[in-house]
Amino acid sequence: MTSVLARTVSRGRLDGSRQANSGARRRAPHKVLASVANHSILIALLIAFLAPLFFMVMTALMTDQQALTSDILPHPINWANFAEVFERIPLVRYVANTVLIAVSSTVFTVVSSVPVAYALAAFRFRGRRALWIGIIAAMMLPGQVTIVPLYVMWAQAGLVGTPLPLILPSLFGDAFTIFLLRQFFVSVPRAYIDSAHLDGAGELRVLWSVFLPMVRPAIAAAALFSFFSAWNDFFNPLLYLGSNQDWYTLSLGLAQFRTVYAVQWNLAMAATLLFVLPVIVLFFFAQKQFVQGIALTGIKE
Amino acid sequence: MTSSTIRPVEPGIRRARRGAVWRSRLTILAFLAPGLIGLSIFFVYPLLANFYYSFTRYNLVNPAQFIGLANYQFMFDGDRQIGDALRNTVVFCLVSVPTTLVFALGIAAVLARIRSGAGFYRTLFYLPTLLPPAATAVAFAFILNPGTGPVNAILRSLGLPQPLWFDDPDTSQLSLLMLMTWGVGNTIVIFLAAINEVPLEQLEAAQLDGAGPFRRFWSITVPSISPVLLFATITGVIGSLQLFSQPYIVSTVVGGSTQIGYPQNSLLFFTQVLYQQGFRYFNMGYAAALSMALFAATLIITIGMIAATRKSVYSEESS
């Protein structure tokens, strides 16, 4: 996913330079019309795409009374909703739980997936293809296919109701992360690794001091995807933490917020906004990481 | 699959590399260890165990008891929910996958044509994809709520009919489709990348031959991105078969805490029956049988689609 994203960005640049040279064509009037049409379509769609976020923000700022009307713009603006959300639900605890789970599973996932992806990309060994197919299968198959025995496993270990079932598996690599990293890693020229070997460096040293510095953007991208998927996950927290309110994540807390506070959409939207805001902020910072990932895939060509 | 016998690169292979000819088997095994252990414990073992559990009656308290095909029998002629769930899942898959793919392809095609700002648009179209399903489901439950929702407020001011959206079994799946289409950014990015890789020479040659933009898109762009289209279709189908969070949250938010499938089972999907059977009623054996059905369906559909399109899709070996 990221590698595709990465390639797009590099392509975008190529396209830009390509089209700059063909400036002569640009003056044709039908081209201008087509361009206006294209942008109009995109802007119209973009408005539709961003409207839900807009409505969310507007309602999050309404007073209780106004939220019971079908008004769209808030008047007066009621910032107190955000404070009230903190009073109504243990939001700080939800955030702490979610951060703990997302950060630890991201760190573990990356640390345990990097060597696997590196071995898949750099070494030849018997069973490599079988392992690769296994990883793709684990990535593609619906998670529900294995959920019963996994739940039984965690239940027998007495860990249902704790966040450990969400964290411990990440110590042993994640199929999607391994897949993503391996796709990046194969684009690094062998010459770098080989010359490090010539200098007498051991495998671990080659990985740590030669290879890793070169693939830092790929690792950043993999870490971001891993973080987002843990942060956004609903099914697994529902399964393993649904019975224990002390360990509720933001997803769980938000999903049952409305059920508890029947009609207060303004508070529900304020809570939702508090939940998505970090994601949006992180996403805009992450843009840079994606672009950096490209320089790496560009080496291949 | 877990075959871990390590073979050093054979000397004499064409691209034999000086100095790097022999790799320690143990080092490779150590590098692979987390993946091998993880894949064994969290994928291969559960897959096999699930097969076994599907022939048992098991509630986590008493030991699993072998009951033959009884779970499968119950699936076919005892379970009164599964029919609705299966129909909903299949219908939603057949409608949502083409809708989202065509929509994404259309946006990607327009994005590929514009000279500036493609990155800006792409970023914003991608954004909803990354938002937590819990947040987007709650947001749509509000936006489409018939009482105070902004969508019906706008429809009312325009004098248009105002559907009940998630509260009406006739429009609830359409509402869910709108929610899922909002998260189409991922596919847009993938399609845009693929379209930008289409050889420019071919498009220019076709243009010289007098082919219009639609003809060029259909006859050159679409065939050359066919592997990506196939991949997106497969992941889209698998994604819709395992759809859980959004309908579950919408149903509980709109209908109340115990209303799986609200309204009137119209949002009841296969995985929700699985969840309910396994983790609310603790019929682990029956849930395992449902998992097996999901596994078989995924496998058959994936292999079937790859086989059916083998001739028309150009495939690329990635190893």
Side-chain angles (χ1 to χ4, degrees), chain B residues 288-304:
Chain B
L290 292 171
S291 292
M292 284 310 298
L294 185 64
F295 177 62
T298 311
L299 220 58
I300 290 167
I301 292 172
T302 306
I303 292 170

Side-chain angles (χ1 to χ4, degrees), chain A residues 8-23 26, chain B residues 114-116 196:
Chain A
T8 323
V9 181
S10 72
R11 271 296 154 166
R13 278 209 213 112
L14 285 177
D15 289 354
S17 56
R18 182 166 82 199
Q19 275 146 4
N21 294 334
S22 59
R26 198 183 291 171
Chain B
I114 60 173
R115 293 219 161 84
S116 55
N196 280 331

Side-chain angles (χ1 to χ4, degrees), chain B residues 11 24 32 81-82 144-145 159-160 162 175 267 284 291-292 314 317:
Chain B
S24 155
L32 291 174
Q81 279 187 312
I82 201 75
L144 296 175
N145 90 78
L160 293 169
Q162 300 131 43
S175 313
L267 290 184
M284 300 312 257
S291 292
M292 284 310 298
Y314 163 74
E317 180 60 82

Side-chain angles (χ1 to χ4, degrees), chain B residues 199-212:
Chain B
L200 203 63
E201 310 83 62
Q202 284 185 25
L203 290 168
E204 280 169 353
Q207 196 172 14
L208 286 177
D209 290 345

Side-chain angles (χ1 to χ4, degrees), chain B:
Chain B
M1 174 164 312
T2 48
S3 155
S4 51
T5 345
I6 309 298
R7 184 185 60 186
V9 172
E10 285 148 5
I13 266 183
R14 234 179 306 143
R15 297 179 57 210
R17 293 173 289 271
R18 280 176 301 149
V21 172
W22 205 85
R23 307 251 185 260
S24 155
R25 294 168 187 220
L26 231 75
T27 312
I28 299 180
L29 194 59
F31 280 2
L32 291 174
L36 291 173
I37 296 171
L39 214 56
S40 312
I41 301 180
F42 300 113
F43 184 64
V44 178
Y45 160 72
L47 219 51
L48 298 174
N50 193 65
F51 187 63
Y52 165 71
Y53 283 132
S54 75
F55 299 109
T56 64
R57 180 182 293 124
Y58 185 39
N59 62 2
L60 280 176
V61 181
N62 304 313
Q65 178 193 352
F66 190 81
I67 54 167
L69 290 169
N71 287 325
Y72 293 94
Q73 227 156 16
F74 181 68
M75 199 190 306
F76 283 106
D77 51 38
D79 191 342
R80 302 177 66 186
Q81 279 187 312
I82 201 75
D84 276 347
L86 206 59
R87 200 192 58 230
N88 289 336
T89 307
V90 170
V91 168
F92 194 73
C93 175
L94 289 177
V95 174
S96 74
V97 173
T99 308
T100 49
L101 289 187
V102 168
F103 187 67
L105 189 60
I107 295 185
V110 178
L111 279 177
R113 290 175 61 83
I114 60 173
R115 293 219 161 84
S116 55
F120 166 77
Y121 290 117
R122 189 191 52 212
T123 301
L124 291 175
F125 279 127
Y126 187 72
L127 178 62
T129 308
L130 281 176
L131 300 181
T136 58
V138 172
F140 265 64
F142 161 67
I143 289 162
L144 296 175
N145 90 78
T148 61
V151 168
N152 274 9
I154 292 169
L155 291 176
R156 196 177 306 127
S157 69
L158 295 173
L160 293 169
Q162 300 131 43
L164 296 176
W165 302 112
F166 282 123
D167 283 296
D168 178 353
D170 291 332
T171 50
S172 58
Q173 288 212 13
L174 174 72
S175 313
L176 184 65
L177 179 65
M178 287 160 66
L179 169 57
M180 300 312 290
T181 310
W182 197 39
V184 84
N186 211 3
T187 320
I188 296 177
V189 169
I190 290 170
F191 284 170
L192 180 60
I195 291 175
N196 280 331
E197 304 250 326
V198 174
L200 203 63
E201 310 83 62
Q202 284 185 25
L203 290 168
E204 280 169 353
Q207 196 172 14
L208 286 177
D209 290 345
F214 287 101
R215 182 69 210 275
R216 267 175 292 163
F217 184 74
W218 190 247
S219 307
I220 294 171
T221 307
V222 169
S224 48
I225 66 169
S226 56
V228 175
L229 288 176
L230 176 65
F231 184 73
T233 312
I234 292 174
T235 50
V237 169
I238 295 177
S240 83
L241 290 182
Q242 64 177 319
L243 182 63
F244 178 84
S245 302
Q246 287 88 344
Y248 178 89
I249 296 164
V250 165
S251 289
T252 49
V253 167
V254 177
S257 54
T258 52
Q259 292 270 13
I260 276 191
Y262 176 89
Q264 290 170 37
N265 279 356
S266 66
L267 290 184
L268 185 73
F269 291 92
F270 192 84
T271 52
Q272 275 159 321
V273 178
L274 199 162
Y275 169 75
Q276 194 168 36
Q277 289 291 345
F279 309 105
R280 285 215 181 152
Y281 306 155
F282 293 100
N283 294 327
M284 300 312 257
Y286 184 52
L290 292 171
S291 292
M292 284 310 298
L294 185 64
F295 177 62
T298 311
L299 220 58
I300 290 167
I301 292 172
T302 306
I303 292 170
M305 283 191 347
I306 292 173
T309 53
R310 175 157 274 178
K311 280 186 189 129
S312 48
V313 169
Y314 163 74
S315 82
E316 202 175 348
E317 180 60 82
S318 63
S319 133

Side-chain angles (χ1 to χ4, degrees), chain A residues 23-37, chain B residues 115:
Chain A
R25 280 195 302 187
R26 198 183 291 171
R27 278 176 226 124
H30 69 277
K31 292 271 174 190
V32 175
L33 268 180
S35 168
V36 169
Chain B
R115 293 219 161 84

Side-chain angles (χ1 to χ4, degrees), chain A residues 281-294:
Chain A
V281 170
L282 189 59
F283 169 64
F284 282 108
F285 277 108
Q287 285 281 356
K288 197 180 152 206
Q289 301 298 330
F290 289 132
V291 178
Q292 280 180 348
I294 309 351

Side-chain angles (χ1 to χ4, degrees), chain A residues 46-254:
Chain A
L46 208 54
I47 290 171
F49 256 65
L50 297 181
L53 290 175
F54 172 78
F55 292 138
M56 198 195 292
V57 175
M58 291 301 107
T59 304
L61 296 172
M62 285 181 186
T63 59
D64 292 356
Q65 292 81 7
Q66 208 195 356
L68 292 171
T69 68
S70 55
D71 291 357
I72 285 171
L73 298 177
H75 180 82
I77 289 177
N78 185 28
W79 293 104
N81 287 340
F82 295 103
E84 189 154 1
V85 168
F86 279 93
E87 282 169 28
R88 291 285 184 92
I89 55 172
L91 199 66
V92 177
R93 181 190 295 162
Y94 295 166
V95 172
N97 291 345
T98 313
V99 167
L100 174 78
I101 293 168
V103 170
S104 59
S105 67
T106 301
V107 171
F108 293 155
T109 297
V110 171
V111 169
S112 60
S113 299
V114 162
V116 183
Y118 175 71
L120 279 166
F123 303 142
R124 284 156 183 259
F125 52 89
R126 189 176 299 161
R128 183 174 72 163
R129 201 176 154 77
L131 180 60
W132 184 235
I133 290 170
I135 284 164
I136 291 175
M139 179 180 81
M140 299 275 289
L141 278 174
Q144 289 96 341
V145 161
T146 51
I147 202 66
V148 168
L150 286 177
Y151 188 89
V152 171
M153 215 161 84
W154 294 117
Q156 281 170 347
L159 295 177
V160 170
T162 76
L164 289 175
L166 305 176
I167 297 173
L168 290 182
S170 54
L171 284 169
F172 302 99
D174 165 69
F176 175 70
T177 311
I178 294 172
F179 175 83
L180 194 70
L181 289 172
R182 185 267 182 194
Q183 296 301 72
F184 268 108
F185 289 179
V186 286
S187 67
V188 174
R190 292 238 28 137
Y192 289 105
I193 300 168
D194 290 345
S195 64
H197 279 127
L198 274 181
D199 294 344
E203 292 297 351
L204 208 59
R205 202 180 152 70
V206 172
L207 173 60
W208 185 256
S209 16
V210 180
F211 197 75
L212 283 189
M214 294 173 63
V215 296
R216 216 173 277 150
I219 289 170
L224 281 165
F225 274 99
S226 179
F227 181 83
F228 275 127
S229 83
W231 181 272
N232 292 350
D233 192 11
F234 178 75
F235 184 69
N236 289 304
L238 176 71
L239 215 53
Y240 296 114
L241 303 175
S243 57
N244 185 356
Q245 296 230 1
D246 290 344
W247 276 110
Y248 262 26
T249 61
L250 279 166
S251 280
L252 289 180
L254 190 66

